[in-house]
Amino acid sequence: MKTDKEYPATHSMSTAWYMVDDDDNVAIIQFENNGPIPVDVPDTWFDKLLFGPSTTDRDDDYITFSLTDDQLDEVLENLIHEVNTPDEEKYWDEGITQINPSREEEFLALCREGELTVEKCVSRVRGLYLVDYYNCFKHIEKEEDNPLLDPQSVIRKLIDRGIIFRYLSCKYLSIDDNKADESGKKFRLNFESLPYYLYQQPYNEEELSERVLTPRHPVKLSQVPEEFRSRIHRIPGRFAEKRYIQIAQHTPCRLYGGDGISLSTLPREEDYIPT
């Protein structure tokens, strides 16, 4: 455990980041509490990392992992809440736009014209994109305060010209801490599968992060753009054999210093006995 240096404290927050094991499998670790958290990771949520990093560093928003068809299907079947035609969709917010792939250049040009941020190309072959459409809405003061689509907006042009033909509304992916239910499982997921090993840290820092998901089609480091690979924390061993992980043993971390807890007093993997 690296405790020979003082690292800055952090505020309580939800944070997620990538890890890679000795077999080059990629995992996501999710914290909903006070740490320990690697010193170089920004605040985000694990579902923001499904297609590649989405951070406060704007350059990273264009880094997309090369998911296989099986992996992409695995994400979409768990992420998509419902599919609507553009004119049926009322809330262009947390969702994926599907366009005609042959009209990508026109789509991107109109997005630039409307100052819309294309956050992620999920799949160029399938024409799937994550886009921030906030500039296309005007808000009115009603009881519901529902946003209305501006008839002069770029999104209206995209719809009327047949460039956008589907909107895939995304559901909120959550991991609930049950404090151990009747089955003995500590966590409950509102999804069945993702193409990543997934670890969740209990709120109590004196417990280790627990593997809550084993993928059918694990993402490999070779699918990560080369310029981003060095920023993924490598964990010795194999995720398939590591039910628990203590991230502070493997990389410099920061910790919210409450209740007298410090990095040096955190439990080690080899000594851990789950409660």
Side-chain angles (χ1 to χ4, degrees):
M1 186 180 297
K2 300 187 178 183
T3 58
D4 58 337
K5 181 179 179 181
E6 292 295 325
Y7 299 109
T10 181
H11 53 83
S12 181
M13 59 186 175
S14 295
T15 308
W17 65 89
Y18 300 108
M19 303 180 295
V20 62
D21 68 5
D22 287 344
D23 289 339
D24 280 354
N25 293 310
V26 178
I28 296 174
I29 188 167
Q30 165 71 32
F31 272 53
E32 293 184 70
N33 63 329
N34 304 316
I37 298 169
V39 295
D40 59 349
V41 298
D43 298 6
T44 189
W45 186 254
F46 78 93
D47 63 354
K48 302 298 184 184
L49 303 179
L50 297 180
F51 305 109
S54 180
T55 71
T56 54
D57 180 354
R58 298 306 301 175
D59 290 340
D60 285 353
D61 286 339
Y62 298 98
I63 295 177
T64 303
F65 292 178
S66 300
L67 301 186
T68 66
D69 285 341
D70 286 338
Q71 290 166 345
L72 185 57
D73 288 340
E74 197 169 355
V75 173
L76 295 179
E77 71 187 25
N78 286 278
L79 183 65
I80 299 309
H81 175 65
E82 61 183 354
V83 179
N84 290 326
T85 63
D87 282 320
E88 291 175 327
E89 183 58 41
K90 295 180 180 179
Y91 303 100
W92 292 71
D93 185 15
E94 294 294 327
I96 298 174
T97 301
Q98 188 165 22
I99 70 167
N100 183 336
S102 67
R103 303 181 69 180
E104 179 189 40
E105 290 187 9
E106 189 177 358
F107 166 73
L108 295 176
L110 283 170
C111 286
R112 288 191 295 271
E113 175 187 317
E115 298 183 343
L116 307 181
T117 300
V118 180
E119 296 181 347
K120 192 75 63 180
C121 173
V122 175
S123 172
R124 180 164 282 105
V125 173
R126 300 191 191 186
L128 300 173
Y129 292 84
L130 282 166
V131 182
D132 182 355
Y133 288 108
Y134 182 81
N135 289 341
C136 289
F137 289 89
K138 57 183 180 181
H139 296 262
I140 58 175
E141 293 185 3
K142 285 186 177 181
E143 290 184 6
E144 306 86 357
D145 194 26
N146 290 334
L148 295 180
L149 182 61
D150 185 344
Q152 304 300 318
S153 68
V154 169
I155 193 172
R156 190 71 255 170
K157 295 179 183 178
L158 291 167
I159 295 171
D160 292 343
R161 297 181 188 180
I163 298 173
I164 293 177
F165 65 90
R166 288 207 305 176
Y167 184 86
L168 291 68
S169 176
C170 294
K171 67 180 182 181
Y172 177 71
L173 300 183
S174 67
I175 305 173
D176 299 323
D177 188 337
N178 301 327
K179 306 299 182 184
D181 60 15
E182 295 179 356
S183 68
K185 291 184 177 180
K186 187 175 181 63
F187 299 102
R188 180 183 294 113
L189 285 62
N190 77 333
F191 52 94
E192 295 182 358
S193 181
L194 292 172
Y196 299 91
Y197 285 91
L198 184 60
Y199 287 82
Q200 175 71 31
Q201 170 69 32
Y203 187 83
N204 182 2
E205 297 92 339
E206 296 176 313
E207 299 180 60
L208 295 192
S209 300
E210 181 177 347
R211 188 184 67 233
V212 296
L213 188 68
T214 299
R216 299 193 303 264
H217 311 285
V219 173
K220 294 289 187 177
L221 188 63
S222 60
Q223 296 176 256
V224 176
E226 188 171 357
E227 67 271 21
F228 190 76
R229 294 175 192 173
S230 63
R231 297 174 62 178
I232 297 182
H233 294 275
R234 183 169 287 277
I235 304 296
R238 302 174 65 243
F239 294 136
E241 298 171 354
K242 293 176 76 73
R243 180 177 176 185
Y244 299 100
I245 285 178
Q246 174 56 272
I247 186 63
Q249 284 182 235
H250 309 296
T251 190
C253 289
R254 61 190 194 269
L255 179 72
Y256 181 75
D259 301 324
I261 297 174
S262 69
L263 288 173
S264 61
T265 61
L266 292 175
R268 297 176 64 89
E269 294 171 2
E270 58 268 30
D271 302 326
Y272 185 63
I273 301 175
T275 57

